Amino acid sequence: MEMIKRKIKLHFSPKIISRWNPNPQFYFSSLFFSTRSQTQSSSSSESSKLYDRIQIVRDPKESIIPVLNQWVSEGHTVGKALLQSLVHLMKGYKRFNHALEMSHWMTDCRYFSLSPSDVAVRLELIYRVYGSAHAEMYFEKISDKLKSGNVYGALLSGYVRENSVQKAEAVLQEMREKGIATSSFPYNIMINLYAQNGAFEKIDILKEEMERNGIPQDKYTMRNLMAAYVAASDISGMERILNQLETHPQLGHGWQAYSVAASGYLKVGLIEKALKMLRKMEETMPIGKKTSAFNYLLTLYAKTGRKDELYRVWNSYKPLAEVKETQFCCMISSLEKVDDIEGAERIFEEWESQCMMYDFRVLNKLLLAYCRKGLYTKAEAAFKKAAEGRTPYASTWITMAMSYIGQNQMSKAVEMLKKAISVSRKGWKPNPITLTTCLDYLEEQGDVEGIEEIVKSLKSTESLTRDIYHRLVRTYTAAGIPVTKVIDKMKMDNIAADEETHKILES
């Protein structure tokens, strides 16, 4: 691979594919239906009821511990295998806070001991919920007996997600020294990390190390290498890997590899070659409940600009696949990319006519399409119709704020921002451009009350920054109001005054 010093953002990076199936039915059937005994069938029924109770708690800020305690108080038994499966289930649905609560409850209330794999899962969840500092503290407390390759891998994965190259390299080096860097997993994710940072020469070093130490390059290695070549716009390198995959079927070449190849060809404008890869992707992709391939296919066909192919894929595969909201979202976005707004409207109407539960994420895609095309009146009409008798998501209010910004109706945009914050959940953050634009407007208007209201609301979403407080300081100063109260609030929120803060105060 050629040495490329300039930083190139990874154009297409396939995720390391989990072997866990996020379908609760899969877990419960595998746990309880391996035989046909009446006892196991009854156990499965009870476990499904427990899952149903947990599923009802949708707000990540709301604890599920009372649900678990109530279940036990009713005389039900909860085994370790069930808890492990539920932890994985919550993690698969990105309900990380609930998964972590359940992991702690498993040891604190049920007194089950943790296996190395349980520790690895908990470490990942701590990282996702509380960040790297808490994960590092937990990692230091783990006994050497439990610090398996999986545990190191969980820490390494966190560093890769946050793009901490030096920390990730330090973890991999420690794994080498302990003799536990023996699988392809740490190398696979490091390949992605280096590709994202344009450090392609380090990928070559990793490949040589794997060959020297007899670590087999599996299908994930090959796909990640392909994605790295795509990031470097090295099409010949990408083609070499694809030829290896096709020559050695045991490496598991399939739709993922062809989707990466199609993405690579599209990046350099080779449309016909991309279409050839997409047809091969269609021949190898699974049909049925696993619809991620369907989404990739729609997205990639949209990038070719072939509207006819988009409709062919939609009409051909929709009857065969379990099409859900995500596929309707993908199709609406894809049609917008080929400038077919009327088609996007028809797809939305098709979903709306058959949906059992209104999902504002689908509406969001149509609203975004309208806004990007400057069709603000249509966006407002669609929003008002959907909001009748329903509570829109925070993301929907933010999308409408963007619409009003596009029309230069800033007072309405600010109201939409306030609505978004008021219905948001823990961890949600407003679109930074929308937030900045609204705050700019309030600062220009000298609207102390307006900025104060937003600051107070953002506190609950953990989105407050020093810049937002600086705006409040400037607005107070312009209005002749003492800024002591603002500085005190900054201290309470653990936001220290810096050099810029003092410059504002002295101006």
Side-chain angles (χ1 to χ4, degrees), residues 189-209:
I189 61 174
M190 287 300 292
I191 288 170
N192 269 350
L193 179 64
Y194 287 142
Q196 289 171 19
N197 289 276
F200 299 106
E201 69 282 0
K202 292 187 176 183
I203 294 176
D204 289 329
I205 295 172
L206 287 180
K207 283 174 58 183
E208 292 169 4
E209 183 180 333

Side-chain angles (χ1 to χ4, degrees), residues 63 77 83 133 152 157 169 178 192 199 222 234 386 463 480 498:
S63 174
T77 58
L83 288 172
Y152 275 94
S157 296
E169 288 177 334
K178 289 182 175 291
N192 269 350
M222 304 302 277
D234 185 348
S463 299
D498 63 1

Side-chain angles (χ1 to χ4, degrees), residues 81 251 261 263 358 365 375 415:
L251 288 174
S263 180
Y358 204 94
K365 295 299 180 182
L375 302 172
E415 288 306 310

Side-chain angles (χ1 to χ4, degrees), residues 31-62:
L31 281 171
F32 303 109
F33 291 144
S34 56
T35 69
R36 296 177 178 273
S37 73
Q38 184 177 357
T39 301
Q40 287 173 321
S41 178
S42 175
S43 178
S44 172
S45 177
E46 284 199 352
S47 302
S48 296
K49 289 176 183 177
L50 174 57
Y51 166 74
D52 289 341
R53 291 191 190 184
I54 292 170
Q55 191 182 35
I56 291 172
V57 185
R58 302 301 299 173
D59 188 346
K61 292 183 287 188
E62 186 177 348

